[in-house]
Amino acid sequence: MELTGAEIAIRCLQEEGVEYLFGYPGGAVLHIYDALFQQEKVKHILVRHEQAAIHAADGYARSSDQVGVALVTSGPGITNAVTGIATAYMDSIPMVVISGQVPSYAIGEDAFQEVDAVGITRPCVKHNFLIKDVKDIAPTIKKAFYLAKSGRPGPVLVDIPKDISNHKTEFVYPESVSIRAYNPVGKGDSNQIKQAAQLLLEAKRPMIYAGGGVVLSGAAAQLTDLVRLLGYPCTNTLMGLGGFPATDDHFVGMLGMHGTYEANMAMQNCDVLVAIGARFDDRVIGNVAHFAELPRKIIHIDIDPSSIAKRVKVDVPIVGELKPVLDELLTVLRASNKKPVAADLAAWWKQIKEWNVKGGGLRYKNSSEVIKPQFVIETLYKITQGDAYVTSDVGQHQMWAAQYYKFDQPRRWINSGGLGTMGFGLPAAMGVQLKHPDATVACVTGEGSIQMNIQELSTCKQFHLPIKVLSLNNRYLGMVRQWQQFFHGDRYSESYMDALPDFVKLAEAYGHVGMRIVNPADVEPALREAFARKKDLVFMDFQTDPKENVFPMVPGGKGLSEIVLSEDL
Amino acid sequence: MRHIISLLMENEAGALSRVAGLFSARGYNIESLTVAPTEDATLSRMTIVTHGSDAVIEQITKQLNKLIDVAAVMDLSEGDHLERELMLVKVRAEGAARDELKRMADIFRGRILDVSSHTYTIELTGTRSKLDSFLQSIDQNLILETVRTGASGIGRGERILKL
Ligand SMILES: Cc1cc2nc3c(=O)[nH]c(=O)nc-3n(C[C@H](O)[C@H](O)[C@H](O)COP(=O)(O)OP(=O)(O)OC[C@H]3O[C@@H](n4cnc5c(N)ncnc54)[C@H](O)[C@@H]3O)c2cc1C
Ligand SMILES: Cc1ncc(C[n+]2csc(CCOP(=O)(O)OP(=O)(O)O)c2C)c(N)n1
Ligand SMILES: [Mg+2]
């Protein structure tokens, strides 16, 4: 039987097992919405802004190992979606976005709501397609899913002109897909892996640095085995948190700009570094020249060759999927009769412990007068017993959440690291809650960020999403304020958040529960009450210390060992 | 260092803009870029001449390889290769200069493709530096137009870029 392009598109999503489609209708996608209406398998989540559709699909993908899927209309629909797509791209999140386009015969005529979607998204997608023939819809969507999730994952856009979504053809979903110019690697090179094992076993001051790749590839178990087998210290990037259990003794905390003193010092001073699914970001190693001052051998395992040797020289590059590579590395290590030299390792751990003492670990001065943001996160950790999915927005609150919530499992910490998109937290939490309806989902945000997608409280009401929003309201664009304090002579240019709404009333206006918490003594009871309300979205407006800063801090452009510690301690 | 990179890519709308976009987005330099279909109509071959440190060139080839439409990449300058560029030059050819220009064209093994009472259009192929030196060897004031294709390159002997 012949189906319309729109029907075919929806059938493809069904074939891919898509559970939720996040979207917003408009002229160019009317046929697709019509096809959606006439079936039940794929459930549509109507957001209130296209950016949120993409973030929600993104949160869905990050908290599972599935591809997030979104549908937007042409013109303003797709331009609104771009921030979300770029967010997913920077963090390598598998996603398929379908956008409507003006009818094919009108393309190029400045038609109503026409934008060059493929052109506008080109630099921030893994790949994109403009459909020119109804026969191409099924094979293209098949390719889009394959590209999104294989190799280094990423968002893929499929742009469908309106007339083509109404043309008819026979529907056949391809069984398999192959793209001749695209062959992601699987296993790594065995000789390189042997060499890596050799280097690791000879190390005197080893360091394991694991990033978002571990989470994306589902290799947390392999990483954990590796660290425990060798007994080496392990650090995670912001994106890698949960890839190794934070409560394990081998964990030295996050590294980088707001990482722990010991993680950064160990990174700088190690003699053998193994980077696993991490990309030596500038927020991670600070000043590259400073990092290169000390000699160290670097092993780098990554599926994307362009991540390797991009910013630092690498001695043993291993291109491959983390799971098979780590499995093979483990086999080689276990079979080896060589063992790490115990005395060297003990001396190295002693040094790391000393750095821990010197840096003060993660400490802050609590107060009985004003709510310290770190205290809110610690209490959140305590009452959720470390078992929540935590999404965050971008700013100081994000760093405190990363520092003080101890993630023991992958895919529990969901944040925008690469693009740093304010407005990510709440819509991402929607995707997470839909994927895990019975789980506890907390969104840690700031009064600045939450206002960038606050309209999604309405979506949460419609779909009964009992997210717990913890707004650390410091009345400042705190991260900006902190930089202005440190680097711009206390000139707080446009970083004060004036005329804030009454968030309690706002939450209530959307049909949710709102709470304002002003006293430190009320933090725990408020959180307990909020989390006990299993069915409600509770918006908690914590009035936190406006002057609190995030420490430790490696100032921009500085080296890792030039890290600045909290002035209070 | 100057590098000459060859690649095979899907002959599809948008493939060229992906490559060009990659260079501009990442701040890589392009001296010239040529592209045309190959004997296999589904593939185009592109030659890009670029400059950069070893590290930058390594990133360029990796980033090119990463493009889904790019099927094969070769840095020709890593080994023996041939490089040719085609140039058309229109010159003012009057009086004494008329003979002189003909003589220079012969020396550089150029051909005069079009003759009018006041102009010559000369065709020249060669490496970039040969074309440059031709332009330097004639009177600059006589040059009316130059059109250059940018370099095309191919490996010598058994160095072959094919799918
Ligand atoms: C306000 C703010 C502050 C920040 N401060 C810090 C900080 O202090 N510390 C910090 O670490 N970050 C910080 N970041 C985040 C930072 O900007 C980067 O996003 C982050 O460091 C990158 O993490 P990553 O290196 O793990 O790479 P990711 O972006 O997670 O990349 C993953 C890597 O794994 C590879 N990969 C993917 N899948 C596989 C697979 N199957 N097999 C093998 N490899 C695979 C990819 O090719 C890629 O190279 C901050 C961000 C913000 C917004
Ligand atoms: C969309 C967007 N615009 C601007 C920025 C720059 N920026 C980074 S953090 C920050 C302040 C965030 O304020 P808030 O949400 O209140 O968090 P806080 O830092 O106070 O915890 C800003 C403006 C950004 N990351 N994203
Ligand atoms: Mg704030």
Side-chain angles (χ1 to χ4, degrees):
Chain A
M1 200 181 81
E2 294 212 318
L3 299 181
T4 66
E7 288 161 345
I8 289 173
I10 298 300
R11 282 288 295 276
C12 293
L13 300 186
Q14 293 176 350
E15 293 286 334
E16 288 292 336
V18 173
E19 198 183 0
Y20 290 108
L21 176 60
F22 301 88
Y24 208 90
V29 283
L30 277 173
H31 296 303
I32 303 181
Y33 271 87
D34 198 34
L36 194 59
F37 189 83
Q38 301 179 45
Q39 56 88 55
E40 255 148 34
K41 270 196 190 150
V42 178
K43 293 186 271 297
H44 183 268
I45 303 296
L46 179 68
V47 294
R48 303 305 188 251
H49 186 296
E50 287 88 350
Q51 182 189 349
I54 310 292
H55 291 330
D58 184 327
Y60 182 92
R62 289 186 204 232
S63 67
S64 64
D65 58 357
Q66 280 156 286
V67 178
V69 190
L71 172 61
V72 298
T73 193
S74 69
I78 182 65
T79 55
N80 269 351
V82 168
T83 300
I85 296 172
T87 303
Y89 179 70
M90 289 296 278
D91 291 341
S92 308
I93 305 305
M95 179 184 292
V96 171
V97 179
I98 296 177
S99 53
Q101 182 53 277
V102 301
S104 54
Y105 51 79
I107 289 180
E109 294 181 349
D110 300 321
F112 176 63
Q113 297 196 325
E114 175 179 3
V115 304
D116 174 8
V118 160
I120 260 184
T121 57
R122 191 190 308 116
C124 60
V125 291
K126 181 167 173 182
H127 199 58
N128 56 21
F129 300 91
L130 169 63
I131 302 279
K132 297 208 169 121
D133 185 329
V134 66
K135 291 196 185 65
D136 294 337
I137 292 182
T140 304
I141 293 181
K142 178 85 185 177
K143 277 187 196 167
F145 275 86
Y146 168 60
L147 285 170
K149 66 188 169 200
S150 60
R152 180 176 183 169
V156 179
L157 176 90
V158 182
D159 198 31
I160 309 181
K162 182 169 184 179
D163 55 330
I164 293 176
S165 69
N166 204 31
H167 293 170
K168 285 190 162 182
T169 190
E170 209 60 51
F171 173 67
V172 203
Y173 201 58
E175 301 247 308
S176 65
V177 53
S178 93
I179 302 174
R180 69 171 163 185
Y182 174 77
N183 299 295
V185 279
K187 278 178 60 158
D189 182 282
S190 296
N191 283 327
Q192 298 286 95
I193 294 175
K194 281 203 192 86
Q195 224 183 312
Q198 185 76 13
L199 265 183
L200 275 170
L201 290 170
E202 283 165 4
K204 292 187 160 65
R205 300 185 308 280
M207 179 71 167
I208 296 175
Y209 148 58
V214 173
V215 177
L216 293 166
S217 64
Q222 282 80 354
L223 171 66
T224 308
D225 283 356
L226 179 75
V227 175
R228 289 183 182 156
L229 175 72
L230 292 167
Y232 292 174
C234 177
T235 183
N236 277 148
T237 65
L238 182 72
M239 300 317 294
L241 293 175
F244 185 77
T247 53
D248 189 287
D249 285 342
H250 298 92
F251 190 60
V252 295
M254 180 172 85
L255 84 167
M257 182 170 274
H258 293 298
T260 65
Y261 185 69
E262 58 270 33
N264 285 321
M265 291 301 281
M267 184 81 174
Q268 182 75 6
N269 291 284
C270 63
D271 69 343
V272 174
L273 177 67
V274 53
I276 306 177
R279 53 187 178 84
F280 290 92
D281 188 84
D282 51 303
R283 296 244 155 169
V284 169
I285 52 167
N287 185 316
V288 196
H290 184 276
F291 184 67
E293 274 168 20
L294 293 181
R296 63 178 90 63
K297 293 272 185 232
I298 299 181
I299 302 159
H300 195 169
I301 316 173
D302 202 291
I303 197 154
D304 180 357
S306 78
S307 280
I308 299 180
K310 180 165 63 178
R311 304 193 66 240
V312 301
K313 277 219 172 85
V314 170
D315 301 278
V316 185
I318 302 174
V319 177
E321 271 290 340
L322 288 184
K323 255 199 216 179
V325 170
L326 291 179
D327 277 334
E328 193 174 336
L329 181 61
L330 280 163
T331 311
V332 176
L333 287 169
R334 287 194 180 111
S336 170
N337 40 24
K338 228 167 149 180
K339 294 279 165 274
V341 180
D344 289 338
L345 193 55
W348 178 230
W349 271 112
K350 185 162 164 276
Q351 170 71 77
I352 290 171
K353 293 274 146 60
E354 280 167 25
W355 282 325
N356 172 275
V357 172
K358 173 149 185 244
L362 288 172
R363 272 197 275 142
Y364 65 96
K365 217 183 243 162
N366 210 348
S367 157
S368 55
E369 259 104 69
V370 55
I371 298 177
K372 291 289 180 178
Q374 302 93 327
F375 174 63
V376 177
I377 305 293
E378 276 186 336
T379 314
L380 170 69
Y381 177 69
K382 183 169 126 190
I383 68 158
T384 56
Q385 292 159 347
D387 200 33
Y389 287 83
V390 180
T391 74
S392 98
D393 265 302
V394 171
Q396 292 182 314
H397 61 274
Q398 175 188 21
M399 293 299 108
W400 287 315
Q403 291 176 331
Y404 289 90
Y405 201 97
K406 310 277 173 236
F407 294 95
D408 277 344
Q409 291 170 68
R411 301 197 180 277
R412 293 298 173 110
W413 165 238
I414 284 147
N415 82 136
S416 163
L419 199 66
T421 309
M422 291 171 68
F424 175 80
L426 180 60
M430 303 189 315
V432 177
Q433 189 79 76
L434 283 160
K435 178 68 209 168
H436 308 278
D438 300 323
T440 302
V441 180
C443 165
V444 175
T445 182
E447 82 298 334
S449 295
I450 192 68
Q451 293 188 84
M452 285 212 179
N453 267 323
I454 189 99
Q455 77 286 346
E456 295 310 313
L457 286 174
S458 173
T459 312
C460 294
K461 186 67 193 172
Q462 181 177 348
F463 296 96
H464 312 288
L465 304 176
I467 297 161
K468 304 297 177 277
V469 180
L470 287 78
S471 178
L472 305 183
N473 181 350
N474 51 8
R475 280 80 72 207
Y476 274 104
L477 300 173
M479 188 55 98
V480 173
R481 190 202 58 72
Q482 176 167 346
W483 282 59
Q484 289 172 335
Q485 182 187 341
F486 291 179
F487 312 118
H488 297 276
D490 294 306
R491 290 181 298 280
Y492 298 123
S493 179
E494 305 298 324
S495 55
Y496 184 68
M497 282 263 101
D498 215 337
L500 285 171
D502 179 332
F503 286 106
V504 173
K505 282 197 188 143
L506 190 60
E508 287 168 359
Y510 277 109
H512 302 302
V513 178
M515 293 163 99
R516 179 173 301 107
I517 304 101
V518 181
N519 293 315
D522 296 334
V523 167
E524 184 167 338
L527 278 167
R528 287 203 184 279
E529 187 192 328
F531 280 88
R533 290 177 168 267
K534 295 267 182 242
K535 292 212 152 43
D536 296 319
L537 183 150
V538 184
F539 190 113
M540 288 160 270
D541 180 21
F542 291 97
Q543 302 282 310
T544 59
D545 187 346
K547 288 285 151 74
E548 192 68 23
N549 287 324
V550 182
F551 287 107
M553 178 172 189
V554 180
K558 293 283 183 186
L560 289 180
S561 55
E562 296 171 301
I563 186 166
V564 178
L565 300 171
S566 162
E567 64 248 299
D568 299 341
L569 304 166
Chain B
M1 255 261 291
R2 179 171 181 269
H3 283 252
I4 171 158
I5 296 171
S6 276
L7 55 94
L8 288 172
M9 60 188 203
E10 298 292 346
N11 190 5
E12 276 185 28
L16 172 62
S17 49
R18 289 183 210 279
V19 174
L22 172 74
F23 275 74
S24 61
R26 294 189 181 263
Y28 303 142
N29 140 312
I30 300 186
E31 182 185 301
S32 68
L33 183 157
T34 64
V35 61
T38 64
E39 74 284 0
D40 172 349
T42 65
L43 286 174
S44 290
R45 172 134 173 180
M46 183 184 278
T47 309
I48 304 169
V49 180
T50 181
H51 289 264
S53 64
D54 289 353
V56 167
I57 299 296
E58 182 179 333
Q59 265 300 307
I60 290 178
T61 49
K62 285 174 169 179
Q63 293 291 348
L64 285 170
N65 261 312
K66 204 167 137 175
L67 294 175
I68 310 297
D69 285 339
V70 171
V73 180
M74 185 192 259
D75 182 353
L76 288 177
S77 18
E78 275 181 349
D80 288 342
H81 65 281
L82 295 168
E83 181 185 332
R84 286 294 177 273
E85 182 173 356
L86 170 71
M87 174 167 74
L88 302 178
V89 199
K90 188 179 290 180
V91 288
R92 181 67 67 206
E94 293 166 330
R98 217 166 156 89
D99 281 351
E100 174 61 9
L101 286 164
K102 168 85 177 65
R103 210 172 57 82
M104 289 310 285
D106 288 343
I107 293 174
F108 281 85
R109 289 174 210 233
R111 292 200 298 148
I112 298 181
L113 293 186
D114 182 51
V115 178
S116 76
S117 50
H118 299 289
T119 66
Y120 282 155
T121 300
I122 303 166
E123 175 195 344
L124 266 173
T125 40
T127 59
R128 180 185 63 155
S129 57
K130 175 180 162 186
L131 304 189
D132 287 346
S133 43
F134 176 76
L135 292 177
Q136 278 154 20
S137 309
I138 60 176
D139 182 348
Q140 303 295 297
N141 297 318
L142 299 179
I143 301 175
L144 300 173
E145 274 180 67
T146 61
V147 192
R148 297 172 69 149
T149 57
S152 295
I154 196 163
R156 274 187 189 271
E158 294 299 316
R159 274 191 94 203
I160 292 160
L161 181 65
K162 201 169 169 61
L163 279 203

